């Protein structure tokens, strides 16, 4: 299996219940999420100390007009191109499931690094309506604060 990585900085002062990144399967390829690393930056200053939560949701629709995506990085340069698609904005975002599948609480002056390896498996099946959404929960980010999210997956 090949491994890939992608990163994003969210918009500043992200509102509650706002999605800021989506990792979508393709028509031909599903994937397994293997690692999520997330932290917070505050422009040129030190982030305000605040508890934040990022939820990870399964999605049930493809959304419309994806924009601001990026080409995932191959962790092994001998791999074929990634099938999964990384997007950071939509005209109409994909529909989330009713509850977060996972919630990542942390302080804006720290970070979280969550590996899903060995027995832990988080599989997303092939199909353009399948994927994962990363959503700000509980507290809005202060002005000039942004999430920095890195994900790693295998196909």
């Amino acid at each position: 299996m090949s491994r890939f990585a992608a990163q994003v900085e969210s918009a500043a002062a992200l509102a509650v219940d706002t999605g800021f990144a989506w990792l979508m399967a393709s028509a031909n390829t599903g994937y397994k999420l293997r690692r999520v690393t997330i932290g917070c930056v505050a422009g040129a200053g030190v982030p305000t100390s605040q508890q934040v939560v990022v939820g990870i949701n399964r999605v049930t629709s493809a959304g419309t007009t994806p924009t601001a995506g990026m080409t995932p990085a191959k962790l092994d340069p001998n791999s074929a191109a990634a099938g999964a698609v990384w997007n950071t904005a939509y005209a109409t975002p994909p529909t989330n499931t009713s509850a977060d599948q996972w919630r990542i609480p942390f302080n804006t002056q720290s970070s979280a690094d969550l590996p899903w390896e060995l027995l832990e498996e988080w599989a997303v099946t092939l199909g353009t309506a399948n994927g994962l959404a990363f959503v700000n929960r509980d507290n809005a980010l202060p002005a000039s604060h942004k999430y920095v999210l890195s994900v790693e997956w295998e196909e």
Side-chain angles (χ1 to χ4, degrees):
M1 299 190 99
S2 298
R3 285 209 175 202
F4 304 92
Q7 305 77 38
V8 67
E9 279 191 8
S10 73
L14 202 61
V16 174
D17 296 333
T18 302
F20 63 95
W22 292 263
L23 182 60
M24 301 299 289
S26 73
N28 303 320
T29 307
Y31 64 87
K32 291 182 181 174
L33 185 67
R34 290 303 189 190
R35 179 174 227 125
V36 172
T37 305
I38 190 162
C40 192
V41 295
V46 175
T48 302
S49 182
Q50 177 179 318
Q51 293 301 110
V52 292
V53 176
V54 171
I56 305 175
N57 281 90
R58 289 193 183 270
V59 300
T60 58
S61 73
T64 61
T65 320
T67 59
M70 68 170 281
T71 302
K74 299 177 191 178
L75 296 183
D76 177 349
N78 297 308
S79 300
V85 178
W86 182 246
N87 290 308
T88 57
Y90 283 87
T92 303
T95 305
N96 292 344
T97 55
S98 60
D100 295 329
Q101 295 284 306
W102 200 268
R103 290 173 63 89
I104 306 168
F106 66 99
N107 187 282
T108 55
Q109 293 182 331
S110 67
S111 63
D113 185 13
L114 303 169
W116 281 280
E117 300 283 352
L118 304 173
L119 298 176
E120 303 93 355
E121 289 202 351
W122 195 333
V124 174
T125 58
L126 62 87
T128 58
N130 300 322
L132 297 173
F134 296 84
V135 183
N136 184 43
R137 298 291 191 202
D138 297 347
N139 294 312
L141 288 179
S144 81
H145 289 54
K146 300 177 188 178
Y147 286 124
V148 178
L149 172 70
S150 296
V151 296
E152 182 178 326
W153 70 94
E154 70 182 16
E155 299 176 359

